[in-house]
């Protein structure tokens, strides 16, 4: 008669079951806290009509920007037959595609950037404290969700919301912190900061 081995058939103790449950509940509470801190900005809602064999079907397309006001931001579009459903789909997609942008002193960009998408061209400039958010339309919604307090922006070429949002995100993705630049150049962070501050002072003169 074969001996019964210990291990798999024995029930787990209450202590081990409790540890697993505690870790899952902790992870769930952390995700809920992150979701509560997310700021949602509705940029644009469009009515889309599709012609099919039986007639026309009407749907809504929503463009949404989300962020945690601490350097993370994302955007997405959602389509549905009702506006609330379209917004909910866009918010869920935007939360999964958030990017992190390094901020200078938690209030502005580290350097000026420029980007283009289609016919839309955007220019983002770092600004001193007290400047405020000088932007309009979808760009202001992005900066507010990102947590930027001082920035000067300009958009040229088009008033299309989607192209402006894409161009702004391309510009934000190209922002680099002094630490990253110093590691690429093989220099000290202080040398990069001195060069940046000198260039900004010359530009302001």
């Amino acid at each position: 008669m074969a001996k019964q081995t210990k291990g798999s058939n024995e029930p787990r103790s209450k202590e081990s079951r409790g540890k697993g449950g505690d870790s899952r509940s902790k992870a769930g509470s952390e995700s809920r806290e992150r979701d509560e801190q997310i700021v949602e900005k509705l940029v644009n809602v469009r009515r889309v009509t599709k012609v099919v064999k039986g007639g026309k079907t009407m749907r809504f397309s929503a463009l949404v920007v989300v962020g945690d006001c601490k350097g993370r931001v994302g955007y997405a579009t959602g389509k549905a037959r009702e506006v609330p459903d379209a917004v909910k789909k866009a918010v869920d997609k935007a939360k999964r595609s958030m990017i992190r942008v390094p901020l200078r002193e938690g209030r502005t960009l580290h350097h000026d950037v420029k980007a283009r998408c289609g016919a839309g061209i955007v220019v983002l400039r770092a600004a001193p404290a007290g400047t405020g958010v000088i932007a309009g339309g979808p760009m202001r919604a992005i900066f507010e969700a990102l947590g930027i307090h001082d920035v000067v922006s300009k958009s040229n070429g088009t008033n299309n919301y989607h192209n402006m949002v894409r161009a702004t995100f391309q510009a934000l993705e190209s922002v680099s912190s002094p630490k990253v630049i110093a590691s690429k150049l093989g220099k000290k962070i202080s040398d990069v900061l001195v060069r940046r501050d000198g260039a900004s002072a010359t530009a302001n003169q």
Side-chain angles (χ1 to χ4, degrees):
M1 186 176 179
K3 293 183 178 180
Q4 194 174 18
T5 58
K6 295 181 180 180
S8 59
N9 294 329
E10 292 183 357
R12 291 189 302 167
S13 62
K14 293 182 179 180
E15 185 177 355
S16 61
R17 288 198 298 267
K19 289 181 180 179
D22 293 342
S23 61
R24 286 191 295 270
S25 62
K26 185 182 292 185
S29 61
E30 289 178 356
S31 63
R32 284 194 298 271
E33 289 177 0
R34 286 196 298 267
D35 291 341
E36 290 175 358
Q37 296 173 357
I38 295 297
V39 177
E40 303 172 4
K41 300 284 184 178
L42 179 60
V43 177
N44 187 32
V45 176
R46 295 187 305 167
R47 187 176 64 182
V48 181
T49 304
K50 182 180 179 182
V51 180
V52 296
K53 186 177 180 180
K56 295 181 179 180
T57 59
M58 188 177 66
R59 306 182 75 186
F60 293 93
S61 174
L63 176 61
V64 175
V65 174
V66 301
D68 62 355
C69 298
K70 297 179 182 179
R72 295 178 67 237
V73 68
Y75 80 99
T77 57
K79 292 182 180 181
R81 294 187 177 182
E82 300 293 337
V83 174
D85 296 336
V87 173
K88 186 177 183 304
K89 284 184 179 180
V91 168
D92 294 339
K93 289 170 62 177
K95 287 180 180 179
R96 294 194 296 267
S97 62
M98 295 177 69
I99 63 172
R100 181 169 292 280
V101 180
L103 300 180
R104 180 180 180 183
E105 299 174 0
R107 60 172 185 82
T108 188
L109 302 174
H110 283 285
H111 54 83
D112 301 346
V113 288
K114 182 178 180 181
R116 177 171 184 166
C117 180
I121 301 173
V122 298
V123 179
L124 312 182
R125 297 177 62 89
T131 303
V133 178
I134 301 178
M139 299 175 69
R140 173 175 287 274
I142 294 172
F143 297 144
E144 290 177 353
L146 182 60
I148 292 180
H149 303 290
D150 303 297
V151 67
V152 179
S153 64
K154 181 67 177 177
S155 62
N156 296 314
T158 183
N159 291 327
N160 185 287
Y161 288 101
H162 292 267
N163 284 347
M164 290 176 66
V165 169
R166 292 191 187 102
T168 305
F169 268 81
Q170 288 180 12
L172 293 175
E173 288 176 350
S174 63
V175 175
S176 299
S177 64
K179 184 177 180 180
V180 174
I181 296 175
S183 63
K184 289 181 179 179
L185 299 177
K187 295 183 178 181
K188 296 181 180 179
I189 298 179
S190 58
D191 298 338
V192 176
L193 292 175
V194 169
R195 185 176 178 181
R196 182 194 66 182
D197 296 338
S200 61
T202 304
N204 293 330
Q205 288 180 354

